[in-house]
Amino acid sequence: MIKSELVQRIAEANPHLYQRDVENIVNAILDEIVSALARGDRVELRGFGAFSVKARPARTGRNPRTGAHVAVDGKAVPYFKTGKEMRERLNDGVDLE
């Protein structure tokens, strides 16, 4: 599902809201999550999951084409951990064999 599909489904489920208003709300929520992560905060949505930032240290990588060693800078990467309720709903009656 992409963001436009999410906006469309929410707008269909709430006919009293205009689609442009739903789009503004979805954008505001996502922007606030990104802003919180940029500040180094953790964002927890109960029943859904938690977003956090993990630091990757600098390392020496390798160019796969030439085999040359390349310095890779450290960076912050987003991390998502699913909530208990989401895991239970996803695994309800699932047989992976």
Side-chain angles (χ1 to χ4, degrees):
M1 175 182 286
I2 59 175
K3 185 165 64 168
S4 60
E5 292 171 340
L6 175 64
V7 169
Q8 185 177 359
R9 285 195 184 183
I10 293 172
E12 288 171 359
N14 297 282
H16 60 284
L17 297 174
Y18 292 111
Q19 185 165 344
R20 68 176 182 270
D21 293 337
V22 172
E23 186 172 358
N24 289 337
I25 292 167
V26 169
N27 286 333
I29 291 169
L30 296 177
D31 289 344
E32 191 54 39
I33 290 172
V34 171
S35 297
L37 292 175
R39 290 190 306 266
D41 295 341
R42 182 172 183 266
V43 178
E44 183 177 336
L45 304 172
R46 295 287 168 114
F48 182 72
F51 296 92
S52 60
V53 177
K54 290 196 174 192
R56 283 196 186 157
R59 61 184 175 85
T60 302
R62 189 181 66 83
N63 182 330
R65 182 175 295 186
T66 64
H69 292 282
V70 179
V72 178
D73 294 335
K75 60 180 116 182
V77 293
Y79 176 75
F80 178 74
K81 182 177 179 186
T82 58
K84 180 181 176 184
E85 184 178 324
M86 178 190 280
R87 275 193 308 273
E88 289 173 352
R89 287 181 64 182
L90 289 174
N91 292 309
D92 187 30
V94 172
D95 186 17
L96 297 176
E97 292 186 42

